[in-house]
Amino acid sequence: MMQGLRARLRRCLVPLFAASLLLSSGCAMVKIKQVTPADYAMLKRDDVLNSGHLSALSQESLSVIGLTAGQCEKDLHACRQTVAGIDGLPTEQRLSTLAELWMQEALALAPKARMGEPVALSDAALDAWLETARYSYAYLFFSGRTPAERALEDRLTQVRDYYNYAAEQTAAVVFQQVRARALEGADYRSPVQVDRWTIRSDFDRLQLNGIPRQLVTAASVSFAGLRSTYRRDGFGAELVVVMDAPALAAPVEGGRAAASPVFSEMPAINATALLRFGGTTLDEVLATRDILLEAWPAEAATTIQLQGQQVPLAANYTAAYGVWMAQSGFATESLRTLFGRGQGIREPHIYLMQPYDPDRRIIFMLHGLASSPEAWVNLANEIMGDPEMRRHYQIWSVYYPTNAPIALNRYTVSNAFNRTLDHFDPARTAAASHDMVFIGHSMGGVIARLMLSDSGDTLWNGAVERFNLRGERLRRVEARLGPLTRFSPQPDVARAVFIASPHRGTDIAGDRLGRLIGKLVRLPLTILGKFEDVFLAMQDAAEPGGKPKAPRIGNSIDNLKASDPFIRASSALPLAPGLKYHSIVARRKAEGPLAESDDGLVPYWSAHLDGALSEKVIVSGHSVQETPEAVLEVRRILREDLHRQSAGAQR
């Protein structure tokens, strides 16, 4: 009987035991799942700012306290209260999660912005951005470890981006209110009160000369035509402060043109905005409603002090230049100037690409015919994007009327350049005024070479040898033409780079198309009127028996003809002793003899200069200065120049 009972138990229990094993294995809690490289990157770096969904780290924090991202989306306020008040989350996790949750609300409340239009934020949206910045700030500086101690952590990068983006949004709102006050004549320095927040601002480091016209967030724009964007990661919002550009085409009043300024800084400034929260402890920072918005020039410093810790300052070195070029209207204005249509420019103007620095050497750039500072857009950007060059150089770029005769442009450009130097360094004692570098493209290279040449009496004699000038008549003519035809080299220029420059002119300027374009070029009445009495005096002074013929004022196209007396005489003038110079020459085709090549406008025989330390030949059209090869060559020359200067200083 017992044996039968045992048998029946075995028959019943064994299947039950087997079933329990199957059930338990079917409810295993851990399984292996293959993760693709894309999933790996997404899990580590995706967050609410770049994907619209909470990061994996915030979702983990919510999971620890029994919440999900979906539950939080339904009631963000209750979710944040739970995260802030519950025990069990380490301080770093709690603060970083709260920063992202506030970011989620701020993004939901923020209106869609259109490029160039002011951002109109509600008080609730601004409040959310400020709370985002506050909790980010608390995480970065009051959660137990310094930013340097977690420098390689993805979470630090995420929260720093929350802080920077919130600073950007806050700066846009404060800028609008401060600008409105300034326009009304009120004290723009007084704090901005928004709901429960008091925002003080400090723009003094920017040294603004006037009321800014616009604030552009660098992250919101990209630039067609610029190959590279140079910036530095760090703390702060990257901004562009846009000023009103100087009026170069001043309206004519009473028959006379109002004087235009001879120089100005680039009317756009790279700036970085920081938010500092009052308080020296975590509790004080989380309770404060007092904020300081601080603006720094991008070139001011690489690091700053925040809460007693040295941290990198974010910077963008390209955005202001791109905004200026995009808004300048140079392309249309330079053509209007050449053909004498509408309000073109009348006199050269010097643009400083950065605020003047007495310790950085000047690179002076001269554009070519029918062009403007836009000709240098990539070259200038690449030079200022190089940290070593940015430390040692500053760029000045001239904008001049390219329809005027070359002799007149040499005189007026030189005058504008020296008046600008006189303003900043009248005694010429600053490092900026020594060992300068000139870079000229096309006709700008011809003008640059003349600025670095000694004319002696060669050009003067060529201009007046047909005329019998004596006494008062000679003095009148010499007073006007003397400065244009007698000149010495610009002092303290150590090096020059001539790019696709027609030093000996070009046959193209004298062919049928060149003559047609030359006829379309119109000289300003101010130039014609300035020399009318002089040319009449010269006509009256024609040699006895000769046919009186007044000299003709040739325009820039006339001067670029290979047969033009001025270009032939000026090409033989000696350059300043000791000047180091280089040539960059373009040729349209790689095939064929170099001596017979051209770039479509300038032949090799005209661009070549004997005595150049280097001559780089690039297969390109005439706008060779835009090519990567030319940019690399100029950077090589400048880097070599820096090393030579450094070696000379150490001797």
Side-chain angles (χ1 to χ4, degrees):
M1 184 176 175
M2 289 295 295
Q3 288 178 345
L5 180 61
R6 287 173 181 166
R8 286 197 300 273
L9 287 171
R10 279 197 299 271
R11 286 197 299 271
C12 293
L13 292 176
V14 169
L16 287 171
F17 179 68
S20 68
L21 287 176
L22 288 172
L23 287 170
S24 63
S25 66
C27 296
M29 297 299 291
V30 178
K31 294 181 181 179
I32 296 176
K33 180 182 177 182
Q34 189 70 34
V35 177
T36 66
D39 290 338
Y40 170 81
M42 183 180 70
L43 286 169
K44 287 180 70 65
R45 297 186 177 90
D46 266 16
D47 62 7
V48 72
L49 188 55
N50 59 37
S51 71
H53 304 292
L54 290 177
S55 64
L57 290 172
S58 285
Q59 291 189 50
E60 286 176 9
S61 298
L62 295 177
S63 178
V64 168
I65 60 177
L67 292 174
T68 66
Q71 289 173 319
C72 276
E73 275 194 58
K74 293 176 182 176
D75 193 342
L76 280 170
H77 177 72
C79 181
R80 289 194 303 267
Q81 282 189 321
T82 302
V83 173
I86 200 168
D87 291 331
L89 278 180
T91 302
E92 284 192 13
Q93 273 185 282
R94 177 165 48 252
L95 294 174
S96 62
T97 301
L98 285 167
E100 189 169 7
L101 289 170
W102 274 110
M103 169 71 78
Q104 189 174 32
E105 176 150 325
L107 290 170
L109 293 171
K112 291 184 179 179
R114 295 182 180 179
M115 188 172 66
E117 293 184 2
V119 178
L121 289 180
S122 65
D123 287 353
L126 181 59
D127 183 72
W129 284 121
L130 290 171
E131 291 289 9
T132 300
R134 183 221 295 278
Y135 279 99
S136 300
Y137 191 83
Y139 163 84
L140 294 166
F141 301 107
F142 291 94
S143 60
R145 291 188 295 160
T146 67
E149 290 173 323
R150 48 192 174 201
L152 300 180
E153 295 180 10
D154 291 328
R155 192 54 160 173
L156 174 73
T157 302
Q158 288 177 330
V159 179
R160 181 209 63 193
D161 288 346
Y162 304 159
Y163 170 83
N164 289 353
Y165 199 72
E168 176 185 295
Q169 300 300 309
T170 303
V173 173
V174 172
F175 169 79
Q176 291 173 41
Q177 296 205 19
V178 168
R179 183 174 187 275
R181 284 181 185 172
L183 290 173
E184 293 171 357
D187 183 9
Y188 69 89
R189 297 173 186 270
S190 59
V192 172
Q193 195 71 38
V194 181
D195 196 19
R196 54 191 181 137
W197 301 92
T198 299
I199 307 172
R200 295 172 291 114
S201 54
D202 180 1
F203 303 118
D204 290 348
R205 293 181 184 85
L206 298 182
Q207 298 181 352
L208 301 177
N209 296 316
I211 302 171
R213 175 170 58 85
Q214 185 184 15
L215 185 74
V216 177
T217 57
S220 68
V221 293
S222 61
F223 304 101
L226 273 171
R227 283 193 292 270
S228 307
T229 296
Y230 289 99
R231 53 178 304 280
R232 180 179 63 236
D233 279 330
F235 290 92
E238 299 161 30
L239 307 170
V240 179
V241 179
V242 183
M243 310 296 292
D244 285 322
L248 304 190
V252 175
E253 298 174 359
R256 299 185 62 183
S260 296
V262 70
F263 74 89
S264 64
E265 292 178 4
M266 184 175 68
I269 303 166
N270 287 313
T272 303
L274 294 164
L275 294 177
R276 294 181 186 263
F277 289 82
T280 57
T281 67
L282 175 59
D283 289 340
E284 289 175 353
V285 168
L286 295 181
T288 188
R289 295 289 180 267
D290 186 66
I291 304 173
L292 173 63
L293 173 65
E294 206 170 69
W296 289 73
E299 296 85 3
T302 57
T303 62
I304 56 164
Q305 283 270 337
L306 278 178
Q307 294 302 142
Q309 300 172 40
Q310 202 72 18
V311 296
L313 181 69
N316 192 308
Y317 301 104
T318 296
Y321 189 42
V323 169
W324 175 42
M325 288 289 103
Q327 297 181 350
S328 67
F330 283 147
T332 302
E333 188 177 57
S334 59
L335 289 175
R336 283 205 312 263
T337 297
L338 179 66
F339 296 115
R341 301 290 187 266
Q343 290 291 321
I345 62 170
R346 299 184 181 90
E347 300 288 342
H349 186 84
I350 309 293
Y351 283 104
L352 281 62
M353 279 190 58
Q354 307 87 18
Y356 174 76
D357 185 338
D359 297 323
R360 289 190 292 174
R361 295 164 56 199
I362 294 167
I363 296 176
F364 186 47
M365 292 183 166
L366 300 93
H367 62 78
L369 183 71
S371 190
S372 70
E374 275 190 310
W376 305 114
V377 60
N378 280 296
L379 178 56
N381 184 49
E382 296 291 336
I383 291 173
M384 289 298 98
D386 184 304
E388 182 183 20
M389 293 187 196
R390 193 166 58 242
R391 283 194 302 272
H392 293 94
Y393 292 118
Q394 57 190 317
I395 292 178
W396 292 10
S397 181
V398 67
Y399 184 30
Y400 65 94
T402 62
N403 55 352
I406 290 177
L408 180 59
N409 268 331
R410 186 224 55 91
Y411 171 73
T412 55
V413 169
S414 179
N415 187 44
F417 181 72
N418 282 293
R419 285 174 61 190
T420 306
L421 283 177
D422 289 342
H423 175 83
F424 291 108
D425 184 23
R428 302 294 194 273
T429 56
S433 305
H434 297 273
D435 299 317
M436 295 179 286
V437 179
F438 277 30
I439 302 177
H441 171 249
S442 190
M443 189 172 74
V446 175
I447 295 171
R449 182 178 57 78
L450 290 176
M451 289 179 68
L452 303 173
S453 300
D454 190 340
S455 70
D457 286 327
T458 301
L459 300 180
W460 166 256
N461 291 338
V464 301
E465 60 186 357
R466 294 189 297 115
F467 303 92
N468 184 23
L469 294 169
R470 292 187 178 86
E472 178 60 26
R473 189 176 289 156
L474 173 62
R475 285 190 290 273
R476 284 168 54 198
V477 172
E478 193 166 16
R480 292 291 182 86
L481 295 188
L484 274 63
T485 56
R486 287 181 174 140
F487 47 84
S488 56
Q490 176 71 39
D492 295 317
V493 179
R495 197 174 295 265
V497 183
F498 305 113
I499 306 175
S501 299
H503 301 293
R504 299 173 185 84
T506 170
D507 291 330
I508 293 173
D511 67 12
R512 181 179 298 176
L513 179 60
R515 291 195 300 272
L516 175 61
I517 295 174
K519 290 179 181 178
L520 295 175
V521 173
R522 293 288 181 269
L523 291 174
L525 293 176
T526 52
I527 291 179
L528 296 172
K530 188 182 295 184
F531 294 98
E532 182 179 10
D533 61 332
V534 172
F535 285 172
L536 287 175
M538 294 175 73
Q539 180 180 359
D540 294 341
E543 292 289 351
K547 193 172 182 180
K549 185 178 180 182
R552 173 178 173 269
I553 303 179
N555 59 44
S556 54
I557 300 291
D558 296 325
N559 289 159
L560 290 176
K561 295 175 184 176
S563 59
D564 183 70
F566 174 82
I567 200 73
R568 294 177 66 179
S570 64
S571 65
L573 298 178
L575 285 161
L579 177 72
K580 301 175 180 65
Y581 56 96
H582 308 257
S583 291
I584 296 176
V585 180
R587 59 183 300 179
R588 287 180 294 171
K589 300 177 182 178
E591 303 80 18
L594 177 62
E596 298 174 11
S597 67
D598 63 70
D599 62 16
L601 291 176
V602 178
Y604 173 80
W605 53 260
S606 184
H608 170 78
L609 279 180
D610 292 334
L613 290 180
S614 66
E615 180 180 84
K616 178 74 172 179
V617 179
I618 298 171
V619 178
S620 166
H622 184 59
S623 296
V624 63
Q625 84 286 356
E626 298 177 357
T627 65
E629 295 88 347
V631 171
L632 287 172
E633 175 65 3
V634 172
R635 290 177 65 172
R636 179 196 69 78
I637 292 168
L638 293 175
R639 197 170 286 112
E640 177 184 292
D641 183 69
L642 284 178
H643 294 164
R644 286 181 180 274
Q645 291 286 336
S646 177
Q650 292 173 5
R651 289 196 188 103

